[in-house]
Amino acid sequence: MAECECDQPHVPRRVVLTGGPGAGKTAVLELVRRSLCRHVKILPESAGIVFGGGFPRDDDAECRRAAQRAIFHVQKELEATGDAHNPAIVLCDRGTLDGIAYWPGPPDDFWTSTATTMDTELRRYDAVLHLRTPTADHGYNHQNPLRTETALRAADVDARILEAWQRHPHRHVIESTGDFLEKATRTLDLLREELPDCCASHLDLNEPTLPPT
């Protein structure tokens, strides 16, 4: 993250970066780390923490519900750490509503199981940036070892996430194109709009470059 001369207190804005499997979140987050200042706090993906830590990943409905409850609560505790150290933006790799897309049952059951409501969770976030999942012909891949979905399943999950966040008043949908840098630049542009003036100058949108593979 870039240094920043600003030492004024910020009012943190919580922003969700979401989208279906293979949408490009990892690459975009790396560009954010290279481009934005230290007042942008990037939180890790809670599902990666849960499954990467050995939580069972089973197709049984009860196991899937248990996993989504675990992810939900890890997400909320991660966000509780986000406001520390005077951030301007707390950038969440997914948010609490993403669990609806993976829940084996109606959304109302998800809210009952997590003891909250959709309206309550929507109010947690100031903006939502949704990266659409590309088709198999336009770049979908399985490079992430935790990604198990086929292109067809990934598109279905992406559609479910899109529906889950549709009521958020500040949701931005970034469509996939043949040029991923175009998608990434659009996302970074939207993030810049969320930054205070004291931090926005650190984001150079002229020549974004992908991290080396």
Side-chain angles (χ1 to χ4, degrees):
M1 307 298 284
E3 286 299 318
C4 184
E5 297 178 357
C6 171
D7 59 2
Q8 299 299 313
H10 300 111
V11 178
R13 292 183 62 76
R14 189 176 291 155
V15 179
V16 174
L17 183 66
T18 188
K25 290 191 296 90
T26 300
V28 167
L29 288 171
E30 182 58 31
L31 290 175
V32 170
R33 291 185 181 94
R34 291 169 169 230
S35 304
L36 273 70
C37 75
R38 60 186 175 85
H39 291 126
V40 177
K41 173 72 172 180
I42 301 175
L43 301 181
E45 185 184 40
S46 56
I49 293 173
V50 171
F51 292 130
F55 197 97
R57 195 166 191 174
D58 197 303
D59 283 339
D60 176 80
E62 188 53 44
C63 290
R64 290 170 60 193
R65 284 190 286 267
Q68 291 309 313
R69 284 192 297 267
I71 291 168
F72 177 88
H73 291 297
V74 169
Q75 180 67 35
K76 294 194 80 167
E77 295 304 326
L78 280 173
E79 292 175 9
T81 72
D83 291 346
H85 308 299
N86 190 33
I89 286 180
V90 178
L91 184 57
C92 306
D93 187 345
R94 301 195 181 282
T96 55
L97 279 81
D98 281 67
I100 298 174
Y102 297 90
W103 185 257
D108 286 348
D109 289 350
F110 177 79
W111 300 123
T112 300
S113 189
T114 54
T116 185
T117 68
M118 176 177 282
D119 288 341
T120 297
E121 298 308 307
L122 285 171
R123 287 194 294 268
R124 293 177 60 82
Y125 306 103
D126 295 287
V128 179
L129 309 181
H130 183 122
L131 304 178
R132 297 305 307 271
T133 293
T135 64
D137 294 337
H138 290 86
Y140 181 75
N141 63 69
H142 288 86
Q143 291 181 3
N144 186 331
L146 294 177
R147 184 178 303 143
T148 62
E149 299 88 351
T150 64
L152 185 62
R153 170 60 177 160
D156 178 64
V157 171
D158 186 54
R160 289 172 178 268
I161 294 172
L162 194 69
E163 182 179 2
W165 290 99
Q166 66 179 342
R167 287 176 48 194
H168 196 282
H170 301 292
R171 183 188 64 165
H172 305 275
V173 178
I174 301 97
E175 298 290 344
S176 288
T177 67
D179 182 358
F180 178 75
L181 285 179
E182 180 181 341
K183 185 179 186 180
T185 298
R186 173 60 177 155
T187 307
L188 292 173
D189 194 13
L190 289 167
L191 274 174
R192 187 178 191 179
E193 294 176 5
E194 299 295 330
L195 283 167
D197 291 341
C198 58
C199 298
S201 61
H202 295 282
L203 181 54
D204 182 5
L205 299 178
N206 293 325
E207 295 183 358
T209 56
L210 291 174
T213 57

